[in-house]
């Protein structure tokens, strides 16, 4: 328990640092959204209108310290401000509208990638020296391929050439939105290509990481002892070797889950998917400080929460962690 309390204290301090940096970064950037709008209109805006826009966006609010304390106070009340891109919609509403799409697509694809990649890594290490080693060059190639390249290749083959799958959007416009069979089927149908993109582009890390650690673990004395006791190969592989080798993969998986909230930006852009990644791109393009701050804050807290869950998993799986505590 003391170990978890120390980790919780560390994450609370890290969360405060992340919130502070999240507050500072947009304000250290040159320019503001009003200057951007004035530039787009070639300066043909009345000075009184410019001042009115700055007041409405909260860009004339005193010193940096007063803005910081106001920012912390608003956070405590769950107030993230209004989006400039989607004005006058609240930032929380914009993020709340995009978050389910990202969690549904990227979250499920990440879990599938982890389960398949980890299992392949375990089997490839256990049966090293067989034909399974032939998958290693393929995984090494996939490890070097960027997400957007995989997405474009899938769009070209399955969307354009074969016309089997849709290449953009989250659902068909001719179905009624809501919890009904037609809408759910359309959502799943449109999610196939983006999900395959994420799985294919991320599975190589899981396979290579798990295989390398598993090979090292198979040389440990307790694995040799288990084999000498006559235990079945399946039990030695999963209960003795894989259980210990999986610990580093849990850290990698927890970080991946944390970044799920940020979405796979390039994948969402290629497929015009209405997730957090697409919203973040629009916020950056329009210098939408409140929306950028809100998204970065959610991503930071999600990563910290995922790491805390990984620590809890470590305590449950590794008795040495409990002894150190």
């Amino acid at each position: 328990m003391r170990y978890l309390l120390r980790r919780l204290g560390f994450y609370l301090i890290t969360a405060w640092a992340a919130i502070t940096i999240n507050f500072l970064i947009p304000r250290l950037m040159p320019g503001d959204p009003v200057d951007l709008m004035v530039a787009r209109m070639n300066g043909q805006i009345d000075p009184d209108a410019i001042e009115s826009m700055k007041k409405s966006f909260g860009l004339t609010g005193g010193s940096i310290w007063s803005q910081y304390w106001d920012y912390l106070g608003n956070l405590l009340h769950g107030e993230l401000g209004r989006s400039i891109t989607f004005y006058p919609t609240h930032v929380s509403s914009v993020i709340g509208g995009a978050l389910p799409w990202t969690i549904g697509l990227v979250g499920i694809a990440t879990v599938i990638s982890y389960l398949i990649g980890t299992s392949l890594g375990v089997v490839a290490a256990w049966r090293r020296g067989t034909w399974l080693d032939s998958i290693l060059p393929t995984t090494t190639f996939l490890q070097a391929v960027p997400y957007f390249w995989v997405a474009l290749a899938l769009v070209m083959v399955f969307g354009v050439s074969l016309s089997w799958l849709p290449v953009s959007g989250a659902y068909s416009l001719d179905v009624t939105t809501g919890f009904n069979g037609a809408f759910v089927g359309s959502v799943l149908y449109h999610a196939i290509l983006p999900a395959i993109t994420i799985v294919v582009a991320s599975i190589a890390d899981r396979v290579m990481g798990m295989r390398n650690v598993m090979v090292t673990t198979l040389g440990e004395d307790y694995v040799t002892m288990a084999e000498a006791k006559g235990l079945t190969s399946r039990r030695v592989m999963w209960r003795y070797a894989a259980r210990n080798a999986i610990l580093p993969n849990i850290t990698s998986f927890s970080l991946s889950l944390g970044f799920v909230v940020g979405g796979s930006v390039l994948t969402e852009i290629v497929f015009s998917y209405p997730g957090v990644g697409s919203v973040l791109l629009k916020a950056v393009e329009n210098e939408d400080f409140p929306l950028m701050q809100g998204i970065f804050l959610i991503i930071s807290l999600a990563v910290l929460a995922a790491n805390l869950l990984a620590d809890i998993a470590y305590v449950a799986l590794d008795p040495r962690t409990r002894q150190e505590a």
Side-chain angles (χ1 to χ4, degrees), residues 37 52-58 81-91 94 286 288 290-291:
M37 294 173 66
S52 176
M53 283 191 293
K54 287 190 174 184
K55 287 182 179 178
S56 64
F57 290 152
R82 293 180 185 272
S83 168
I84 295 171
T85 306
F86 302 95
Y87 190 82
T89 307
H90 285 275
V91 168
V94 176
N286 295 289
D288 190 341
L291 186 53

Side-chain angles (χ1 to χ4, degrees), residues 19 28 199:
I19 290 172
L28 296 177
V199 171

Side-chain angles (χ1 to χ4, degrees), residues 82-112:
R82 293 180 185 272
S83 168
I84 295 171
T85 306
F86 302 95
Y87 190 82
T89 307
H90 285 275
V91 168
S92 56
S93 299
V94 176
I95 296 176
L99 202 55
W101 293 107
T102 292
I103 291 177
L105 172 65
V106 186
I108 293 176
T110 301
V111 172
I112 293 174

Side-chain angles (χ1 to χ4, degrees), residues 28-230:
L28 296 177
M29 294 171 60
D32 59 50
V34 176
D35 292 338
L36 183 66
M37 294 173 66
V38 172
R40 286 177 178 174
M41 301 184 69
N42 298 320
Q44 297 178 355
I45 299 180
D46 186 85
D48 293 336
I50 295 175
E51 190 64 26
S52 176
M53 283 191 293
K54 287 190 174 184
K55 287 182 179 178
S56 64
F57 290 152
L59 299 175
T60 58
S63 67
I64 193 76
W65 284 108
S66 64
Q67 292 181 38
Y68 180 62
W69 290 115
D70 290 342
Y71 176 70
L72 293 180
N74 290 333
L75 280 185
L76 291 176
H77 293 87
E79 176 60 53
L80 298 176
R82 293 180 185 272
S83 168
I84 295 171
T85 306
F86 302 95
Y87 190 82
T89 307
H90 285 275
V91 168
S92 56
S93 299
V94 176
I95 296 176
L99 202 55
W101 293 107
T102 292
I103 291 177
L105 172 65
V106 186
I108 293 176
T110 301
V111 172
I112 293 174
S113 170
Y114 177 79
L115 294 176
I116 296 176
T118 301
S119 300
L120 281 177
V122 171
V123 176
W126 184 258
R127 299 186 181 280
R128 62 190 182 282
T130 65
W131 64 271
L132 282 173
D133 282 345
S134 62
I135 68 173
L136 297 181
T138 305
T139 55
T140 304
F141 170 74
L142 292 175
Q143 201 170 15
V145 176
Y147 276 53
F148 73 90
W149 193 92
V150 177
L152 291 175
L154 292 175
V155 167
M156 181 59 68
V157 175
F158 296 101
V160 177
S161 300
L162 300 176
S163 300
W164 287 355
L165 298 167
V167 298
S168 66
Y171 55 88
S172 299
L173 298 179
D174 56 353
V175 299
T176 303
T177 57
F179 193 72
N180 56 73
F183 179 70
V184 173
S186 179
V187 169
L188 294 176
Y189 184 51
H190 282 71
I192 292 176
L193 278 186
I196 291 177
T197 299
I198 296 170
V199 171
V200 170
S202 62
I203 197 172
D205 284 339
R206 319 290 182 204
V207 176
M208 296 296 291
M210 190 64 197
R211 183 189 181 279
N212 293 337
V213 179
M214 185 76 176
V215 168
T216 303
T217 305
L218 289 175
E220 298 291 339
D221 292 339
Y222 57 85
V223 176
T224 304
M225 176 63 72
E227 292 176 318
K229 289 168 65 178

